[in-house]
Amino acid sequence: MNPRETPDWPAVIPIDSFDAQRIEDAFSLMGPKWTTSSVMTMPQEGRPLRVRDVAARLPFVSEQLVSKRLVTMHADGLVLRTGPRHGDSYVLTDASRELGPVYAIVEHWSASLAKQWTPSPPVPVSTAQRTHSGIPLGSDGARTVAALCRSAAVPNSLFSHAPQPQPRVPTVVTAQSAPGRSR
């Protein structure tokens, strides 16, 4: 049986059994954010969709972002534009229609990885602690407090180093670097 047809692959796959660069190139086409969602959204209507139609079906995505993504997908050969005018609709190419089984396999493969990662429960923002108490709060108190607090929800182990107070910049230096009010 061909190792590409069975889910029980051998522990070692010969390096020449796949074209690694072609696989990387294919993933780079599918990889940009909202590409998969766009490809999965378009066939649900069964008709060509305009940018605003695709954007309406994707949560929290602007028409501008969808437009940019569809232009990129058009250049990559994943969608075709039905006409040359601005506002013309898009349809999937045969190549993008064939991505359905690929997405199914990747989803199946990633299921075991998703089970391994369990996020820690969120910690309320009220438990944030001010780490730099020696620095006076500015006129925009809420922003300054947010900038000077490190939430307990994020463990210090995620940072490359422990938080350190920043050295005070002399007033002479800040006076020189302040922008002038004249033109």
Side-chain angles (χ1 to χ4, degrees):
M1 180 179 262
N2 184 345
R4 294 180 191 174
E5 296 173 356
T6 178
D8 301 323
W9 285 14
V12 178
I13 300 172
I15 192 76
D16 60 346
S17 49
F18 299 102
D19 183 355
Q21 187 59 50
R22 245 172 89 191
I23 294 170
E24 292 290 332
D25 292 344
F27 278 134
S28 72
L29 295 178
M30 297 185 300
K33 193 166 186 159
W34 303 112
T35 299
T36 301
S37 298
S38 298
V39 168
M40 295 175 83
T41 297
M42 293 179 76
Q44 292 176 0
E45 289 294 313
R47 62 178 174 86
L49 295 177
R50 295 175 66 170
V51 171
R52 79 171 68 141
D53 298 329
V54 176
R57 287 158 182 78
L58 299 177
F60 312 112
V61 184
S62 68
E63 283 186 31
Q64 183 180 10
L65 181 67
V66 171
S67 176
K68 288 179 183 178
R69 181 62 59 229
L70 288 173
V71 167
T72 304
M73 291 169 63
H74 177 73
D76 293 339
L78 295 175
V79 295
L80 290 175
R81 200 167 182 176
T82 58
R85 294 177 304 146
H86 176 75
D88 284 333
S89 54
Y90 289 88
V91 295
L92 296 177
T93 62
D94 291 338
S96 59
R97 278 190 220 94
E98 293 172 358
L99 285 173
V102 174
Y103 290 143
I105 289 170
V106 171
E107 181 185 33
H108 176 74
W109 168 79
S110 67
S112 63
L113 297 174
K115 290 177 187 173
Q116 293 173 1
W117 182 80
T118 54
S120 58
V123 177
V125 176
S126 63
T127 62
Q129 299 171 351
R130 187 167 176 199
T131 57
H132 303 293
S133 57
I135 300 174
L137 296 178
S139 60
D140 59 344
R143 289 177 124 185
T144 306
V145 169
L148 296 175
C149 288
R150 179 173 283 180
S151 172
V154 181
N156 283 337
S157 61
L158 290 178
F159 298 98
S160 61
H161 57 281
Q164 299 292 324
Q166 297 296 312
R168 303 279 297 163
V169 178
T171 308
V172 175
V173 174
T174 57
Q176 292 174 354
S177 63
R181 295 197 182 261
S182 62
R183 290 186 178 201

